[in-house]
Amino acid sequence: MNSNHTDDLAELHAEVAAVARELLADSAPRWATIARAGWPGLEVSAAFDGADAGFAEVAVILTEIGRAAASGPYPAVAALGVGALNHVVPTPDRDRLLRETAAGAVVPIVALAGEGMGEKRFRIENSPRGPLLRGAAEFVLDVPDAGRLLVPAVDPAGEVVLVDLDPRARGLLVTERPVLDATRSFGDIVAEDVSPESLWHFEDGYRCDAVGRLRDRAAVAVACDSLGLSRAMLDATVAHVAVREQFGRAIGSFQAVKHACADMLVQVTVAGKLVDAAVRAVTASGADASTSASMAKSYACATAVDIAGKAMQLHGGMGYTWESGIHVYLKRAALNRSLFGSPAQHRARLARRYSVQAPRRRGA
Amino acid sequence: MTGESRTLEDFRTEVRQWCRTNIPVDWRRAQTGVSDREFVEFQQSWFQRLRADGFAVPHWPKEYGGGMSSAEQVVLYQELAAHDAPRLVLAFVSIHHAAATLLAAGTDEQRRRHLPAILDGEIWCQGFSEPGAGSDLAALATTARRGPDGYVVNGQKLWASGAQYAEWCLLLARTDPDAPARQGISYFLLDMRSPGVEVRPIRQATGESHFCEIFLDDVVIATDRLVGRENTGWQVAQRTLGAERGMTMLELAERLGNGGFGRLVESCPLDDPVVLDRLAALEIELTGLRALCADFVAGAAPGPADASIVKLYYSELLQRMTDFGTEMAGLAAHTELRKPLSSGWESGAWMLDFLGSWEWTIPGGTSEIQRTIIGERGLGLPREPRGK
């Protein structure tokens, strides 16, 4: 029965992926198109006009977005915006924003720095004028597109709360941060004594480590993206080497080329397993969610750079041209690798478990 | 949770309990430096202990003493690995290769004769490879000609694991020298006590002699020991080869990711960030391997290259891991320690294990052969031009 259920889900996911692939074939689908497809509301409950689906379904879309190297703020909205809104204690303001997000009417961007593993950069301080937000973050994904800004900040009691702001609020400065990867947009935020419009508390399960939980979602979302772009690069390379001839035969029949492609398939397959496990773990919010997220982020994003690089190599001189489009994937893969924690940072987080485990095992 | 999954958890509890009471205490030390006879006796008694509770051949059909669902088998092998149970190295060919072959292509008489005997401990080896025919099995040169008492076999087999202990052999020989390479081969059950059979163990890089050469000099095999029809041995052999992947790989991956990784962590200095980075990278890959194997055995219809992906990834990861263990252990890794028999790859002496890892990247199709299979069958890339 379990396996049937899994099969049904697999079929459903394949269908979602196929539809997404078709929609994304149009090189840069506009937000209105994405909103019409219902993607922003996938993980939103039906009570707020969402589709009542889960992070697993969002992950399918994120992977296809990576495959298409599509631009636009969907990954930031789905991984972080909806993730944050779903996990704060409901208020009428929150409900309204969630409903507008699901409808695609507003693009909520969470102010998380793209670099590193998650130090807290914003604080709320009490003043005679009321609570004031201060802080700064660099490389905030898709903040130039933000319709609302959601800032996780430490309040005077030491608790992380979510501050809802108009990106044009007084005291708030958002500047664009151009990057080599033309499919992505970033900005820097500086907040100097900004008065919060709304201030939401995270729900009980999330409260103790809200930023960490959001960062795990972000890490897994980027891992999905890298998995998708790896698959695209493998497919393109296989198609190319199967027909491109040198020395009188298809280059894909040469062992060196064939074996390079085989290694790409092995890496993509393993990355797929780790990403699946991370998506399940983050969905279930179990104790192992961070571990699975770090594994998927580290492996999928590191191998995506290898795979895109190998794709460029195996396409030969053509691969290095602007027209081939492979550079788009290589830039995105390399950017993904650094975004929301480098592989080395994620491995360092994993390794912190060893010193805790080892003495116990020795004693056992 | 469904009722079914609760039952599976009950089964896990049962297996755990079984492991605690049945796995011989301190068997590793007891099996280190023992004679061949003691090794065989230990293997036989461990096999019978598993058999008594239905754990020896869970993959066989129910009527022959198996009948476990694949979900239950996964649990069984996970728990055996987690509890560091001895491996059934000696029965490996009989319970997997021989049984799969007999079930798929044997006669009723052959099944009746051998399957119960295998359960009683009959040991088998496999005579496929030859000096000139490893992965290129179609090039095999051992001949079987029809004589008055059956087939008369002449030739030499190579890399036959455990042949020095075997009572029976799965043998491929050429019955029609004029037919195209794959069409002139037949499949036989060879009684190793037949006159003309000579076994010579080959000493390996690790110092052990697990593989053997088999010399066949006018060996007579009765016609009722032919499996399938004459000259259809190639097809029958595919059934044999298909039996060695899957659950076995899952068990090996569990052993590697479980106790194997734990042992590695214990032998590493945990205050060095470079070491920690490499450990974490290995743990990630091991986690990927375990998921790969679990999905492989759970999948109803594996892709044409999935078995090769699993084998390639397992064997090369094993190599990377034992290499790192050797580097970490320093000179101590090189002190001559003897491997506990009945174990898997892991002796605790990292250099011995690193050497042993080539037993995985070479046999059963080298890593190069696996990559070619993955490229051609998995990705549909054009074949390399082949000699005629």
Side-chain angles (χ1 to χ4, degrees), chain B residues 227-240:
Chain B
V227 184
R229 284 173 291 107
E230 192 177 89
N231 296 330
T232 64
W234 182 267
Q235 287 82 338
V236 179
Q238 299 314 307
R239 310 303 291 259
T240 311

Side-chain angles (χ1 to χ4, degrees), chain A residues 296-308:
Chain A
K297 172 68 175 71
S298 165
Y299 189 87
C301 292
T303 52
V305 177
D306 288 351
I307 287 167

Side-chain angles (χ1 to χ4, degrees), chain A residues 17-250:
Chain A
V19 171
R21 211 173 298 178
E22 199 169 321
L23 193 147
L24 292 163
D26 166 22
S27 55
R30 296 172 344 153
W31 188 253
T33 313
I34 285 182
R36 243 196 328 275
W39 293 353
L42 261 182
E43 211 185 348
V44 174
S45 95
F48 304 111
D49 308 330
D52 243 346
F55 188 59
E57 287 69 42
V58 171
V60 173
I61 304 288
L62 293 172
T63 308
E64 290 307 317
I65 283 180
R67 187 195 292 271
S71 52
Y74 181 75
V77 171
L80 292 169
V82 172
L85 289 172
N86 268 341
H87 291 289
V88 291
V89 178
T91 69
D93 288 347
R94 194 283 319 228
D95 295 354
R96 185 166 32 81
L97 183 52
L98 196 51
R99 197 183 299 274
E100 286 170 354
T101 301
V106 175
V107 170
I109 294 296
V110 176
L112 276 187
E115 193 96 63
M117 297 286 287
E119 53 284 34
K120 296 170 183 85
R121 291 162 196 255
F122 294 92
R123 306 195 69 80
I124 292 170
E125 281 160 30
N126 288 326
S127 80
R129 289 200 280 143
L132 293 174
L133 177 75
R134 281 184 200 149
E138 294 181 329
F139 288 104
V140 178
L141 182 60
D142 289 320
V143 77
D145 289 323
R148 296 300 294 183
L149 198 58
L150 304 175
V151 186
V154 183
D155 75 5
E159 187 188 340
V160 174
V161 295
L162 195 65
V163 177
D164 170 42
L165 292 173
D166 184 324
R168 291 171 301 265
R170 213 144 67 104
L172 197 63
L173 183 67
V174 177
T175 47
E176 206 159 333
R177 176 71 98 125
V179 288
L180 203 55
D181 172 8
T183 64
R184 284 282 176 64
S185 91
F186 286 91
D188 297 343
I189 304 174
V190 178
E192 279 179 16
D193 296 343
V194 184
S195 300
E197 280 181 47
S198 315
L199 201 151
W200 297 319
H201 292 269
F202 284 94
E203 63 189 22
D204 278 348
Y206 240 65
R207 187 168 293 174
C208 55
D209 185 27
V211 172
R213 301 280 287 271
L214 286 172
R215 284 199 164 263
D216 285 341
R217 279 179 65 101
V220 177
V222 178
C224 290
D225 193 89
S226 279
L227 175 64
L229 73 84
S230 296
R231 285 180 179 156
M233 285 293 91
L234 174 59
D235 291 350
T237 304
V238 167
H240 174 73
V241 303
V243 297
R244 167 73 174 159
E245 291 195 1
Q246 289 278 271
F247 306 106
R249 55 183 167 116

Side-chain angles (χ1 to χ4, degrees), chain B residues 68-387:
Chain B
M68 213 180 265
S69 73
S70 52
E72 287 170 331
Q73 289 180 55
V74 168
V75 168
L76 173 65
Y77 288 118
Q78 280 175 341
E79 292 303 322
L80 286 172
H83 290 86
D84 191 32
R87 296 198 66 221
L88 288 176
V89 277
L90 199 58
F92 190 81
V93 174
S94 57
I95 63 175
H96 293 290
H97 299 204
T101 308
L102 292 168
L103 286 165
T107 61
D108 286 345
E109 175 51 33
Q110 287 167 345
R111 280 196 278 266
R112 261 198 306 275
R113 161 69 187 79
H114 289 294
L115 290 176
I118 287 173
L119 277 179
D120 289 336
E122 191 172 81
I123 300 167
W124 285 67
C125 67
Q126 187 170 304
F128 281 16
S129 295
E130 297 183 6
S135 289
D136 183 12
L137 205 53
L140 65 85
T142 295
T143 59
R145 302 236 156 74
R146 258 187 195 273
D149 307 317
Y151 292 90
V152 181
V153 183
N154 280 282
Q156 182 192 350
K157 292 290 170 180
L158 197 56
W159 314 127
S161 309
Q164 70 267 52
Y165 313 112
E167 299 157 77
W168 287 85
C169 174
L170 302 167
L171 185 79
L172 286 180
R174 190 167 293 287
T175 32
D176 183 353
D178 302 320
R182 293 180 185 190
Q183 290 167 31
I185 296 170
S186 297
Y187 198 115
F188 299 96
L189 307 177
L190 165 68
D191 183 341
M192 292 293 279
R193 287 156 304 189
S194 308
V197 176
E198 192 197 339
V199 176
R200 290 187 208 156
I202 301 168
R203 196 156 191 223
Q204 297 148 223
T206 54
E208 306 162 280
S209 301
H210 183 54
F211 298 118
C212 300
E213 290 177 290
I214 305 173
F215 295 90
L216 302 158
D217 182 15
D218 283 336
V219 176
V220 177
I221 303 180
T223 51
D224 62 0
R225 290 182 181 156
L226 182 68
V227 184
R229 284 173 291 107
E230 192 177 89
N231 296 330
T232 64
W234 182 267
Q235 287 82 338
V236 179
Q238 299 314 307
R239 310 303 291 259
T240 311
L241 294 171
E244 75 183 307
R245 303 272 181 267
M247 255 347 137
T248 309
M249 297 307 302
L250 177 118
E251 186 197 350
L252 290 167
E254 288 295 318
R255 285 174 186 268
L256 196 61
N258 236 308
F261 184 70
R263 206 165 294 141
L264 182 66
V265 170
E266 280 171 22
S267 62
C268 283
L270 295 181
D271 52 359
D272 180 341
V274 177
V275 170
L276 290 175
D277 183 74
R278 290 180 67 178
L279 275 177
L282 283 169
E283 191 198 357
I284 293 167
E285 291 205 82
L286 288 164
T287 305
L289 173 74
R290 289 165 83 173
L292 191 65
C293 291
D295 287 359
F296 179 68
V297 295
D306 287 2
S308 290
I309 291 174
V310 169
K311 198 256 183 184
L312 177 69
Y313 195 64
Y314 169 77
S315 59
E316 294 197 340
L317 181 52
L318 170 69
Q319 204 149 72
R320 285 196 290 280
M321 186 166 142
T322 51
D323 183 15
F324 183 55
T326 304
E327 189 187 336
M328 284 297 101
L331 291 174
H334 300 260
T335 53
E336 198 193 341
L337 293 174
R338 296 176 72 186
K339 186 172 168 157
L341 301 178
S342 303
S343 68
W345 59 274
E346 74 290 17
S347 68
W350 285 102
M351 184 58 201
L352 207 55
D353 297 338
F354 181 41
L355 271 177
S357 72
W358 271 272
E359 205 173 305
W360 283 96
T361 53
I362 297 172
T366 61
S367 296
E368 289 69 27
I369 292 287
Q370 302 302 338
R371 286 191 169 84
T372 297
I373 292 171
I374 293 165
E376 293 180 0
R377 295 191 208 156
L379 294 169
L381 289 172
R383 297 167 75 90
E384 271 187 89
R386 280 165 208 240

